[in-house]
Amino acid sequence: MKILLLLLALLPGCLWAQAEEEASVVDSAALVRAIDSLQYVYDHDSIKGTVSMVYLDEAHSYINVPEGYCYLSKAKTRHLIEDYWSNPEDDDVIGSIIKDSAKTFAGVDVVFLIYYDECGYVKDEDADSYNYDDILAEKRKDAEEQNEERKALGYETIEVVGWADAPFYDSEKKALHWALHARFGEGDELNETLNYDIRMLGRKGMLILKAVAHMDDMPQVKEMRNVIVENTHFIEGYTYNDFNPVTDHIAEWGIGTLVAGKLLAKAGILAKCTAFLLKFWKFIVVAVGVVITYFFKKKEK
C-alpha cells in the first residue's frame, strides 16, 4: 500500500484522466493482477546480497567481501543493469559488488561488474609503450559507428568525451586501470556516464572489473576500486606469477589492446540511467487507474 500511495502522489492530472479512462473497462480480476504486478516490482527492488567470502569458480578467483560492501549474484546484477539501467542483455557478467548502504536497486549509486576472460597469459612488458591518445581516438570512432545500430535496437547513442582517468598499469598488483567519460542520448536527455575499467591479470586470463556510475561519482568509484582490488585474488596456482611458459597459453595481444577493447565484447560502454521508472510508467499509470476506479465504484455501491 505504501508504494500505491507514493504513486498516487506522483500521478499528474492528465495521466490520471488517461488512467481512469483506460481503467473504466477493466474488471476486478484485472485489478488483482495489477496489484500483484505492482507488488512484484516492489518486492524485486529489495537487495539481499552476500556479505562474506565469494568464490568465483569460473574465474579461478575469490573475493573477501569487505565490511560495508555486498556481492550480487549474476541474476541480481543483470536485473540492475538491464531492467533498472536499460543496458543491453549481458549474459557474460558473473556478478557485482556494491556498497551495502543501498537497500534497494533504485538506491545503487555505483556498481562494480565482474567478468572473466580466459584469454591466456597477457605479457605486460610493453605497458608503457602505447599511445593512449590514439586509442582514445579509435574508441570515439568505434562508438560513432555503433550508434546507428544502437538506434535501430532502441538504445541511446554514445559519445566518447575523453579519459576520465588516463590508463595506467600497476605492475605490483598486475592491474590495468582506465576510465572513460561517455555521454548517452541527445539534446536535453544527455546522460553523463563514467565507465571505470580494471583488468587484473592472472595465469590463464584476466578478471574484468567495470564500474558503472555517473561522472560525479568518481571519488566514490576510486574509493571502492582500491578496496575491491585489494580484496580480490586469484586462487593459488592461477596467479600471474604461477605462469608456466612451457605449458600455458600466451594471449595474442598486450596491454594496449586491452584498453582498446576491440577483441572483448565485455569491454563495451555501459550506462547508468533512471530508465526503470520510465519503462514501467505507463503500466503503473494504468494499474493505479484500475485501483482508483475500483474504489470509487465500490464507494458508489
Side-chain angles (χ1 to χ4, degrees):
M1 185 55 67
K2 287 182 180 179
I3 189 171
L4 174 59
L5 292 175
L6 174 61
L7 291 171
L8 289 173
L10 293 174
L11 192 63
C14 60
L15 292 177
W16 185 297
Q18 177 189 351
E20 284 195 281
E21 180 181 346
E22 293 192 35
S24 62
V25 296
V26 182
D27 59 19
S28 58
L31 167 65
V32 173
R33 291 195 299 271
I35 293 176
D36 286 346
S37 297
L38 282 171
Q39 189 63 42
Y40 174 87
V41 172
Y42 180 77
D43 288 344
H44 282 69
D45 187 59
S46 179
I47 291 178
K48 293 179 182 177
T50 303
V51 291
S52 57
M53 182 183 289
V54 176
Y55 281 95
L56 308 175
D57 294 334
E58 62 266 59
H60 316 298
S61 59
Y62 64 94
I63 302 173
N64 288 316
V65 182
E67 184 177 354
Y69 293 74
C70 71
Y71 173 83
L72 299 183
S73 67
K74 179 187 184 86
K76 289 181 179 180
T77 298
R78 291 191 63 178
H79 182 50
L80 172 64
I81 62 175
E82 294 174 18
D83 297 333
Y84 275 74
W85 294 354
S86 197
N87 287 290
E89 293 183 1
D90 188 354
D91 191 47
D92 291 324
V93 69
I94 295 173
S96 62
I97 297 285
I98 63 170
K99 285 281 192 75
D100 68 3
S101 55
K103 303 305 180 185
T104 66
F105 287 97
V108 176
D109 292 323
V110 178
V111 59
F112 266 85
L113 306 174
I114 303 168
Y115 303 86
Y116 178 70
D117 195 316
E118 193 147 322
C119 58
Y121 177 85
V122 179
K123 292 184 176 182
D124 65 351
E125 64 265 21
D126 61 348
D128 297 325
S129 65
Y130 292 94
N131 185 326
Y132 291 116
D133 288 337
D134 289 345
I135 291 176
L136 179 62
E138 286 296 317
K139 281 186 172 289
R140 284 176 172 149
K141 181 180 177 182
D142 291 344
E144 290 172 1
E145 292 174 351
Q146 293 171 13
N147 278 336
E148 288 305 315
E149 181 180 355
R150 289 181 63 86
K151 282 183 180 180
L153 294 173
Y155 296 109
E156 294 177 316
T157 57
I158 304 173
E159 175 193 357
V160 175
V161 180
W163 297 122
D165 207 1
F168 71 96
Y169 179 63
D170 184 336
S171 58
E172 181 180 344
K173 290 186 170 63
K174 303 300 179 184
L176 174 66
H177 301 241
W178 74 90
L180 273 180
H181 174 190
R183 287 196 186 109
F184 284 75
E186 298 174 340
D188 296 334
E189 303 299 324
L190 284 178
N191 175 17
E192 304 286 343
T193 295
L194 169 68
N195 276 205
Y196 199 109
D197 280 270
I198 302 170
R199 303 291 186 267
M200 298 184 68
L201 307 184
R203 175 184 177 182
K204 300 288 188 179
M206 59 188 176
L207 273 168
I208 300 172
L209 306 176
K210 175 184 285 292
V212 183
H214 290 310
M215 278 300 301
D216 54 9
D217 291 322
M218 177 64 100
Q220 183 180 346
V221 169
K222 287 188 173 182
E223 174 195 339
M224 292 177 67
R225 169 203 71 189
N226 294 337
V227 173
I228 292 171
V229 169
E230 196 66 36
N231 286 277
T232 302
H233 310 277
F234 286 100
I235 63 174
E236 186 176 352
Y238 287 89
T239 71
Y240 196 78
N241 292 331
D242 290 321
F243 172 69
N244 184 331
V246 177
T247 61
D248 293 342
H249 173 69
I250 298 176
E252 298 175 0
W253 54 84
I255 295 293
T257 309
L258 299 186
V259 179
K262 286 188 174 180
L263 301 180
L264 299 171
K266 305 178 186 69
I269 303 172
L270 301 177
K272 179 191 173 185
C273 62
T274 54
F276 177 77
L277 286 178
L278 297 176
K279 179 187 295 187
F280 285 94
W281 181 247
K282 181 174 175 62
F283 155 74
I284 289 172
V285 168
V286 174
V288 172
V290 173
V291 176
I292 294 168
T293 302
Y294 173 81
F295 281 113
F296 273 115
K297 286 185 176 180
K298 186 175 181 181
K299 187 175 180 181
E300 289 172 359
K301 293 179 182 179

